[in-house]
Amino acid sequence: MTAPLINKSSAAPVQARPRWSGRSRKDFVVFLAMALPNLLLIGTFTYWPLINNIYYSTLDWTLGSSRATVVGLQNYVTFFTSEDASKVLGTTAIFTVLTVGGSMVLGLLVALALNSKVRGTTFARSAVFAPYVLSGVGVGLVWLFIFDPGYGVLAWILRGLGQQSPQWINDPQLSLVMVIIVYVWKNLGYCAVVFLAGLQSLPRDVMEAAALDGANSVRRFFNISLPLLSPTTFFLLITTMLSSLQAFDLIRIMTPLGNGTSTLIYEAYLQAFGAYNRAGYSAAVSVILFAILLVITVLQLRFVERKVHYS
């Protein structure tokens, strides 16, 4: 039995659906209702101040003055040709590398310890994460009392051992070390909790198969766990680096004059609100920090993400 022939010429033409139907308009209105308030807030409080700051960086303007002179890129030239530029950039690099590396390495070690099934892990997780949610001002004041070379707890312990306390606050190099130690301690819990979540999401069947094949815990960690943790590591690398480059509260409380701890963001604060009142120059330093943050983020997304193993 043969199939009947269909006359294509007599078939009813298919009507094309209008591209801007009533339902599409309704969906677009809903989208605007949901997204527009957020877009307005982001534009008002993020992009508009950024544009203004870029404009202020082209001015020779003293904070509080009603007059300003347009100087173009002179503020940038002044910064990069000054003697303080290498110190500020070097301090920023040292602070960022040590705080990011210290927080991530120690956080991973703490996460490995907290991942074990023993008593008290719930309390330990809360205790480790607690410093991260505390106020940076409060943490800085407490640790400033600990490091005080005259009346601090650390000085009292060292005197009991017959040792003299280092001048943590007055020595520029020790001041930077002091701030790095406190910053790593404060942000250690954040890295530990994120790494712990990554460890608990690893496939157990893969780990059990490796154990059956004779791989010890060290080989399982470096050959299986660490590569599978690459998305978590990549996420923490970006977030902790951006956070370290913008660290301000601890530096402000523990070293008000920026004695050896003047990072880019703190240098911008000192130039605008310190003894100089150079608002235009401070804005230029802020734009340089923004450019560095942007470049680092793009490079990480462009090159580092290639080594991330998503499963």
Side-chain angles (χ1 to χ4, degrees):
M1 183 176 180
T2 59
L5 297 177
I6 299 176
N7 188 2
K8 297 183 179 181
S9 60
S10 62
V14 179
Q15 294 183 355
R17 185 179 177 181
R19 298 182 60 183
W20 193 252
S21 62
R23 184 173 180 178
S24 299
R25 287 194 296 268
K26 183 178 179 180
D27 293 341
F28 183 71
V29 171
V30 173
F31 166 76
L32 287 181
M34 296 294 181
L36 192 58
N38 293 326
L39 294 176
L40 289 176
L41 290 174
I42 293 174
T44 302
F45 295 103
T46 301
Y47 295 110
W48 181 245
L50 174 62
I51 295 173
N52 278 336
N53 191 73
I54 295 175
Y55 169 69
Y56 293 150
S57 68
T58 63
L59 303 178
D60 181 11
W61 176 36
T62 302
L63 190 66
S65 175
S66 58
R67 295 182 179 180
T69 304
V70 178
V71 294
L73 300 178
Q74 183 59 42
N75 288 324
Y76 298 95
V77 175
T78 302
F79 173 78
F80 284 109
T81 56
S82 65
E83 297 179 357
D84 295 334
S86 59
K87 296 180 181 179
V88 172
L89 293 174
T91 301
T92 304
I94 294 173
F95 179 83
T96 303
V97 171
L98 293 182
T99 52
V100 171
S103 299
M104 293 185 64
V105 172
L106 294 178
L108 180 57
L109 295 177
V110 173
L112 291 172
L114 295 177
N115 196 35
S116 58
K117 296 181 180 180
V118 295
R119 279 188 172 185
T121 53
T122 302
F123 173 77
R125 293 170 188 174
S126 302
V128 168
F129 188 71
Y132 178 72
V133 299
L134 294 177
S135 169
V137 175
V139 170
L141 289 174
V142 171
W143 278 92
L144 193 61
F145 172 73
I146 294 175
F147 280 108
D148 188 279
Y151 306 97
V153 176
L154 184 58
W156 178 76
I157 295 174
L158 291 176
R159 282 196 299 267
L161 298 175
Q163 302 293 327
Q164 189 70 22
S165 175
Q167 297 296 318
W168 296 98
I169 302 175
N170 299 323
D171 191 330
Q173 295 181 350
L174 293 180
S175 297
L176 182 60
V177 174
M178 175 183 65
V179 174
I180 289 174
I181 292 174
V182 178
Y183 192 85
V184 170
W185 175 83
K186 187 178 186 303
N187 292 271
L188 174 64
Y190 168 72
C191 294
V193 169
V194 176
F195 270 128
L196 180 60
L199 288 172
Q200 293 180 346
S201 65
L202 296 180
R204 295 184 179 181
D205 53 346
V206 177
M207 306 299 292
E208 293 174 355
L212 292 175
D213 289 340
N216 56 28
S217 58
V218 176
R219 291 190 61 185
R220 291 200 303 269
F221 173 74
F222 284 102
N223 295 334
I224 300 176
S225 299
L226 201 57
L228 291 177
L229 282 175
S230 55
T232 304
T233 306
F234 178 65
F235 169 77
L236 284 175
L237 181 63
I238 293 180
T239 56
T240 55
M241 185 171 292
L242 296 180
S243 176
S244 295
L245 285 171
Q246 300 176 77
F248 175 80
D249 47 4
L250 286 176
I251 299 176
R252 175 67 180 86
I253 293 299
M254 302 189 73
T255 56
L257 300 179
N259 185 24
T261 60
S262 291
T263 58
L264 273 170
I265 190 169
Y266 198 65
E267 179 68 13
Y269 166 79
L270 291 176
Q271 291 294 333
F273 303 102
Y276 306 103
N277 294 331
R278 302 166 68 185
Y281 185 80
S282 172
V285 176
S286 301
V287 173
I288 294 172
L289 175 59
F290 169 75
I292 293 176
L293 290 171
L294 183 62
V295 170
I296 289 176
T297 304
V298 171
L299 289 178
Q300 286 179 333
L301 294 174
R302 181 68 176 84
F303 298 103
V304 180
E305 194 179 16
R306 292 180 177 179
K307 300 181 180 180
V308 176
H309 302 278
Y310 294 101
S311 58

